[in-house]
């Protein structure tokens, strides 16, 4: 979560000013709850904490990738605010992570990646619903923990 005075804090405050029922999927995914997120895999910075991203959108993308990886399918992390696509390609017990914008390639254990993506989605749900308890039953946020 952003600290007091950080620019994205206003996106959290604006969400709280609306009732939970008034926050639709578009708002939750793209207008509210900005954070700095970082994803490092085996020393490679896959997602940089340099930019603010909407945590619900990132968590939903992570959750979708997790569901595909559990079914031994390839997945990707792509974002509305960026043209970059992070590809997650299965190689048995390993998953190769590549970027459409960078030349690096890193492999990670499939089970560890699945656990990390699940932890991230769950933590996003927990933080947002602690901040706004009336969102706990929101169907968009429920997809993070189902």
């Amino acid at each position: 979560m952003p600290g007091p005075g950080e620019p994205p804090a206003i996106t959290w405050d604006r969400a709280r000013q609306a009732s939970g029922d008034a926050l639709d999927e578009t708002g939750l995914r793209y207008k509210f709850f900005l954070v700095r997120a970082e994803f490092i895999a085996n020393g490679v910075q896959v997602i940089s904490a340099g930019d603010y991203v909407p945590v619900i959108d990132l968590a939903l993308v992570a959750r979708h990738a997790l569901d595909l990886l559990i079914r031994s399918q390839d997945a990707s992390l792509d974002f509305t605010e960026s043209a970059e696509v992070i590809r997650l390609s299965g190689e048995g017990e390993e998953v190769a992570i590549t970027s459409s914008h960078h030349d690096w390639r890193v492999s990670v254990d499939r089970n560890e990646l699945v656990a990390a993506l699940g932890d991230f989605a769950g933590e996003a749900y927990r933080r947002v619903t602690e901040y706004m308890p009336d969102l706990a039953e929101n169907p968009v946020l429920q997809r993070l923990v189902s």
Side-chain angles (χ1 to χ4, degrees):
M1 288 179 58
E6 284 189 63
I10 195 167
T11 67
W12 289 69
D13 294 339
R14 264 189 292 172
R16 191 178 261 171
Q17 292 170 3
S19 73
D21 296 341
L23 299 178
D24 63 3
E25 182 165 357
T26 300
L28 288 169
R29 288 187 81 142
Y30 307 115
K31 295 179 185 175
F32 303 109
F33 306 114
L34 295 182
V35 298
R36 289 186 192 266
E38 184 173 55
F39 174 17
I40 297 174
N42 288 337
V44 173
Q45 188 172 43
V46 176
I47 296 175
S48 168
D51 295 323
Y52 296 108
V53 297
V55 72
I56 299 303
D57 186 47
L58 182 58
L60 286 167
V61 167
R63 181 60 204 212
H64 180 68
L66 170 144
D67 292 340
L68 292 172
L69 291 170
I70 287 172
R71 295 191 307 262
S72 297
Q73 296 176 348
D74 292 347
S76 64
L77 306 174
D78 55 341
F79 315 98
T80 302
E81 63 276 357
S82 169
E84 182 177 18
V85 177
I86 306 297
R87 290 180 197 87
L88 310 172
S89 305
E91 301 174 339
E93 296 300 313
E94 298 281 310
V95 174
I97 304 173
T98 58
S99 166
S100 63
H101 282 44
H102 304 282
D103 290 331
W104 50 256
R105 173 187 167 90
V106 63
S107 291
V108 297
D109 179 83
R110 179 184 300 273
N111 292 332
E112 287 181 29
L113 180 58
V114 164
L117 292 171
D119 289 348
F120 176 75
E123 184 67 8
Y125 173 86
R126 185 184 70 75
R127 298 251 180 154
V128 168
T129 57
E130 280 180 358
Y131 187 78
M132 280 188 71
D134 58 334
L135 287 176
E137 299 303 319
N138 181 289
V140 174
L141 268 68
Q142 283 291 308
R143 294 191 333 234
L144 298 176
V145 292
S146 60

